[in-house]
Amino acid sequence: MELLWQQIINGLVLGSMYALIALGYTMVYGILNLINFAHGDVLMVGALTALSTILFLQPIFVGAPGWLLLLVGVLVAIPVCIVVSLIIERVAYRPLRNAPRLAPLITAIGVSILLQTFAMIVWGRNFLTFPTLLDDRPIEIFGATITTTRALVIGTSAVIMIALMVLVNRTKLGRAMRATAENPRVAGLMGVNPNYVIALTFAIGAGLAAVAGVMWAATYSTAHFFMGFTPGLKAFTAAVLGGIGNVPGAMVGGLLLGLIEALGAGYIGDLTNGILGSHYQDIFAFLVLVGVLIFRPSGLLGERVADRA
Amino acid sequence: MSPLLPRLRKDPRAAWIAAFVLAATLMALPWIAGQFGNAWVRVFAFACLYVMLALGLNIVVGFAGLLDLGYIAFYAVGAYMYALLASPHLTEQFAWIAQMFPAGLHLPIWLVLPFGAAIAAFFGILLGAPVLKLRGDYLAIVTLGFGEIIRIFINNLNSPLNLTNGPQGITLIDPITLGVTFSKTINFFGYEVSSLVLYYYLFLALAIVTVVICLRLQDSRLGRAWMAIREDDIAAKAMGINVRNVKLLAFSLGATFGGVAGAMFAAFQGFVSPESFVLNESIIVLAMVVLGGIGHIPGVVLGAVLLAVLPEFLRYTVEPAQIFMFGKVILEAEILRMMLYGLALVLIMLYRPKGLWPAPEHGVNPVQQRHSRLAA
Amino acid sequence: MASTQCSSGILALRHKVLAPVADIVLKVAGVNKRFGGLQALSDVAVEIERGQIYGLIGPNGAGKTTFFNVVTGLYAPDSGSFELDGKPYSPNEVHKVAAAGIARTFQNIRLFPDMTALENVMVGRHVRTKATALGAILRTLATLSEERAIRQRSLELLEYVGVAKYADYQARTLAYGDQRRLEIARALATDPKLLALDEPAAGMNATEKLALRALLVAISKDGITILLIEHDVKLVMGLCDRVTVLDYGKTIAVGTPADVQRSAAVIEAYLGKAHTNVATKEPA
């Protein structure tokens, strides 16, 4: 029972990060019908940028509290990721808006590789350690332990997701985004500039990815040029699970996938009598992906994709 | 109609001369390259393997129009299958196998190759069957997932039963034996032919066979069915084509080429590990197909050769140049290599989506286009 | 008018391949199809005799193409019985329906645009040929001779519909009328028992329509049964042996063109209530 609760906590930590990343995928897909393959690498850029910032500031502000350094790191990472994401959109995706669907996907793969190459040049190829900045003595909650960092992941994600829901559902901007997602041309006729809304969507997604990237690096205490691949792929799975294009769906899908992975990893040894161990954890996400796409392609909460003529 | 170079088609004499020159160059290549170092012969041998892989992926992506991002899984299946059947690993791990094969598991190539092809084809169907009704981009991601699943399994199937030896891989794989063992230098009519050169010729022959097979498939009833499906799959169905089975056939044929190439790779290297079969490799093969010209066989061959050889070439020129200019290497060859693949994918899609060497206009396109409406 | 004799035309080959079993080629009854809130087809039935040219007409939105799509397997019906040549068939897989013997053309022309005209027709031969991948790779004699036969027959069909001179042209470069003929040639290549044409005359001018009419008459004389959706009432009346009229998914009249033209329900459907008294004044 204790194991179950512990795994649930772990699942929520993982799931919160997946949810943040999944939101980026889902919003872009909803508006452009495009899988932003490079999204995971934006996350990576965010994490590494924050790391560099922290490592740069640490010797200068020796007495600074850890949480402040972390905050500054995040605040630097966010605009960097936004800029990177906007450049990608402008240079690689926008020219292909009317091309057959596979063309931007292939381009996105290329962009992903280029981002990784860029990271390799700037930060090298080795695994870098992300310093533990918060007081990570484990806290006990009903028998399960959680570190401050992980608790902060859950809490911050919750706040961000609520804020996003308010933005999308209660503001004029959010309305514009939803309208463009459904039918960009008609939205244009109503005075919405689709290019602006698309850029904004990318920017929000990038900001979320930056935060998620720092969370990931802080949780696992490591960052490197290839760190975006696995969380990126899994977050995409989460987006599909919840219903691609569906914002609450991405949140639900993310949390659910995190739970499935954590519980699966925890119990797979028991379930298979020791034949499969927890290092098969990554397979769960892929199996979920295949399963969802075959049995319920529109996802749990239904997909929301634009009507393409 | 096979869209071969139209000029050569019209002038058979020129075609023969061109073919002769090409053949002579390819045969002499190892001796020429060898002057610059043995590593180059190795590069060209790998280029031939990549040609096979690219042509196999071209069947799936170019002929049938299915973006498979997990293609390297078939390469892995072929490689590991050969590794298991021609190395001491299984006999070491399982006593009962050692008993069955007291002299060790050293299945000959003529047995392993068809078997490997069949297993790869089977995996092609296994991976293809669930994904066929998915739309293009989902299909890409799911096949990517499959590729990763296979790699993870290979990486972890070392307990409780040690099947694949996990991350350490399988070593001591037999070299190819075709009359002579390819691992040693042989004496051929007074000439010393090294093992590398032998492998090069073998892989060259296989690559040529692959090209011929692909050309024949393209010009056949099946090739037309693939093209029809790519152009309009509902009309294809209405003409009685079983779209699902024909797509599966594309998957399994493409997989077969990958599997055979994988087996060759295992024999050549003498050692396989999961690291050789990561997602990046799938992307590299895709880049070759995209760069050369999706669906156009000569283009794909060009793309494969370019992306297999160019990075090596750059390694030997760009690194020394950087040292000369800046005193140190800023861009390592490995990074440069990856950058090339990324740039290939992005730049081609943006500026020349049909590839460097696209298929020439298929059929006659009259200069004076009369008004015609082909509504979607 | 329809000939049930099989003449020695290019299409006569068909009768050697698929021996007819019954005199009714297509028998469809009780077809219902609903799309969400819309009942697209209500209890539609059609019976086509061998060698007939059968017309399906009705105002826009009546359900004609929906019916076509159901019969050829593109849509799954909610209910209905389907018999081709006396044998029941289930219209759930398009390629199986084509293999059974119903070939169709599309309202919006669905050729393979980047393939040549000849290749388009050769694709039509796919369902009646059997060369495999292995045969292609090994270039067996059987495969080679089948390829020759496919090519030969496809050229003949191109000649038959009158676009032989565009054999090597990309399909999308053909003139509109020629594209429609090409689509018919491709459908004929499948050796169908029933040729189902969805608005073959749409967008054609008067001259092209005459040529199309001649082609359809020739096809019918050569023994192929035709089911035709058309908006051009004159064409239908002059060409078809029998006609079903649909309106809002229901059959409102069945019979010879002359009968149907006089039916009050049909006139009301096309022209509205004010004109129905015209019918009662017609001589019997």
Side-chain angles (χ1 to χ4, degrees), chain B residues 78-90 170-173 263 266 272:
Chain B
Y80 265 85
M81 196 239 35
Y82 183 83
L84 287 175
L85 293 177
S87 76
H89 175 76
L90 282 182
I170 300 180
T171 56
L172 297 178
I173 302 176
V272 289

Side-chain angles (χ1 to χ4, degrees), chain C:
Chain C
M1 177 207 254
S3 148
T4 48
Q5 265 190 359
C6 105
S7 69
S8 61
I10 181 210
L11 301 172
L13 206 59
R14 180 189 72 80
H15 290 275
K16 292 183 198 152
V17 178
L18 310 162
V21 170
D23 210 40
I24 306 258
V25 168
L26 184 71
K27 182 160 168 201
V28 165
V31 176
N32 283 294
K33 177 71 186 167
R34 184 182 204 94
F35 288 115
L38 174 70
Q39 188 72 29
L41 296 171
S42 314
D43 209 26
V44 179
V46 148
E47 225 174 80
I48 307 181
E49 285 174 31
R50 188 171 317 283
Q52 275 186 334
I53 302 185
Y54 200 101
L56 186 62
I57 66 177
N60 272 324
K64 311 187 291 293
T65 299
T66 308
F67 180 72
F68 243 51
N69 287 341
V70 164
V71 165
T72 55
L74 239 93
Y75 295 160
D78 301 326
S79 68
S81 72
F82 302 84
E83 259 181 43
L84 183 68
D85 230 12
K87 273 201 306 264
Y89 75 93
S90 186
N92 52 9
E93 290 207 58
V94 178
H95 68 269
K96 285 198 183 141
V97 173
I102 303 182
R104 69 168 293 175
T105 63
F106 291 86
Q107 191 170 2
N108 289 337
I109 308 186
R110 295 185 87 127
L111 288 171
F112 305 118
D114 283 332
M115 296 174 89
T116 67
L118 180 61
E119 285 170 339
N120 267 269
V121 181
M122 285 167 85
V123 171
R125 290 302 295 154
H126 182 102
V127 66
R128 302 289 169 219
T129 50
K130 49 185 169 49
T132 59
L134 200 58
I137 293 173
L138 298 174
R139 286 241 174 118
T140 61
L141 282 171
T143 305
L144 285 175
S145 78
E146 193 186 71
E147 271 292 297
R148 266 196 303 269
I150 292 176
R151 230 190 125 101
Q152 175 70 6
R153 180 125 173 90
S154 304
L155 281 167
E156 284 170 10
L157 282 167
L158 284 178
E159 179 78 48
Y160 184 77
V161 304
V163 294
K165 64 182 187 274
Y166 301 123
D168 288 325
Y169 282 48
Q170 271 185 335
R172 63 180 160 87
T173 65
L174 262 58
Y176 184 81
D178 292 333
Q179 282 182 0
R180 285 226 175 261
R181 293 154 165 279
L182 178 57
E183 225 196 350
I184 293 177
R186 187 182 66 179
L188 286 175
T190 66
D191 285 339
K193 293 177 182 146
L194 175 69
L195 183 65
L197 306 173
D198 195 345
E199 300 203 27
M204 284 187 173
N205 62 37
T207 321
E208 289 169 328
K209 282 192 192 176
L210 276 180
L212 177 73
R213 193 199 132 108
L215 175 61
L216 294 182
V217 166
I219 294 176
S220 179
K221 277 222 175 77
D222 280 331
I224 303 235
T225 314
I226 299 179
L227 169 62
L228 185 67
I229 292 181
E230 244 318 312
H231 267 303
D232 183 337
V233 176
K234 216 169 79 174
L235 180 66
V236 168
M237 298 311 175
L239 190 59
C240 295
D241 304 313
R242 231 172 138 67
V243 166
T244 288
V245 188
L246 290 184
D247 191 24
Y248 289 114
K250 296 199 190 66
T251 311
I252 60 175
V254 181
T256 67
D259 293 337
V260 154
Q261 248 173 336
R262 272 178 249 135
S263 146
V266 173
I267 296 181
E268 183 179 325
Y270 272 99
L271 300 175
K273 265 211 171 65
H275 298 267
T276 48
N277 51 3
V278 171
T280 57
K281 292 204 180 110
E282 283 275 342

Side-chain angles (χ1 to χ4, degrees), chain B residues 225-245:
Chain B
W226 280 331
M227 194 165 179
I229 293 176
R230 217 170 60 231
E231 305 236 317
D232 190 333
D233 73 316
I234 292 186
K237 273 188 224 179
M239 291 302 114
I241 297 180
N242 186 335
V243 168
R244 190 188 155 76
N245 286 0

Side-chain angles (χ1 to χ4, degrees), chain A residues 88-196:
Chain A
I88 294 173
E89 193 274 320
R90 188 72 188 74
V91 170
Y93 297 157
R94 197 185 289 193
L96 294 174
R97 286 234 192 114
N98 294 320
R101 268 242 288 236
L102 289 183
L105 180 58
I106 294 179
T107 312
I109 296 173
V111 169
S112 165
I113 301 236
L114 287 176
L115 279 178
Q116 288 171 23
T117 317
F118 169 73
M120 277 198 274
I121 297 175
V122 173
W123 286 287
R125 274 194 278 173
N126 297 319
F127 279 52
L128 302 171
T129 318
F130 197 92
T132 311
L133 296 162
L134 303 172
D135 180 7
D136 263 342
R137 265 170 311 178
I139 311 168
E140 273 240 5
I141 308 182
F142 303 119
T145 56
I146 187 170
T147 64
T148 318
T149 311
R150 293 180 184 223
L152 201 59
V153 166
I154 300 181
T156 316
S157 304
V159 169
I160 291 179
M161 287 197 269
I162 293 173
L164 189 68
M165 287 301 286
V166 168
L167 171 74
V168 168
N169 289 320
R170 302 281 173 96
T171 67
K172 189 168 137 197
L173 200 55
R175 232 186 351 260
M177 288 172 70
R178 281 181 286 136
T180 313
E182 280 211 39
N183 196 328
R185 258 176 235 160
V186 173
L189 291 174
M190 298 296 122
V192 173
N193 182 347
N195 278 340
Y196 176 73

Side-chain angles (χ1 to χ4, degrees), chain A residues 29 33 35 37 91-92 95-96 101-103 105-107 109-111 113-114 116-117 120-121 125 229 233 236 240 244 275 279-280 282-283 286 289-290 293-294 303, chain B residues 67 69 130 133-138 140-142 144-146 148-149 152-153 156-157 159-160 279-280 283 286 290 331-332 334-335 338-339 342-343 345-346 349-350:
Chain A
Y29 198 92
N33 258 332
I35 301 179
F37 206 84
V91 170
L96 294 174
R101 268 242 288 236
L102 289 183
L105 180 58
I106 294 179
T107 312
I109 296 173
V111 169
I113 301 236
L114 287 176
Q116 288 171 23
T117 317
M120 277 198 274
I121 297 175
R125 274 194 278 173
F229 172 64
L233 199 56
F236 176 72
V240 172
I244 197 83
I275 295 181
H279 25 250
Y280 284 97
D282 284 347
I283 292 193
F286 298 129
L289 182 65
V290 175
L293 287 180
I294 293 180
E303 59 180 15
Chain B
L67 184 57
L69 288 180
K133 48 184 169 142
L134 298 176
R135 56 183 183 237
D137 36 14
Y138 280 178
I141 299 292
V142 172
L144 188 158
F146 276 144
E148 281 296 289
I149 289 179
I152 292 176
F153 266 113
N156 289 305
L157 276 177
S159 71
L279 171 67
N280 254 359
I283 293 180
L286 178 67
V290 167
L331 281 179
E332 290 166 27
E334 267 312 302
I335 299 183
M338 275 192 73
M339 210 187 320
L343 282 175
L345 287 171
V346 175
M349 276 297 128
L350 284 179

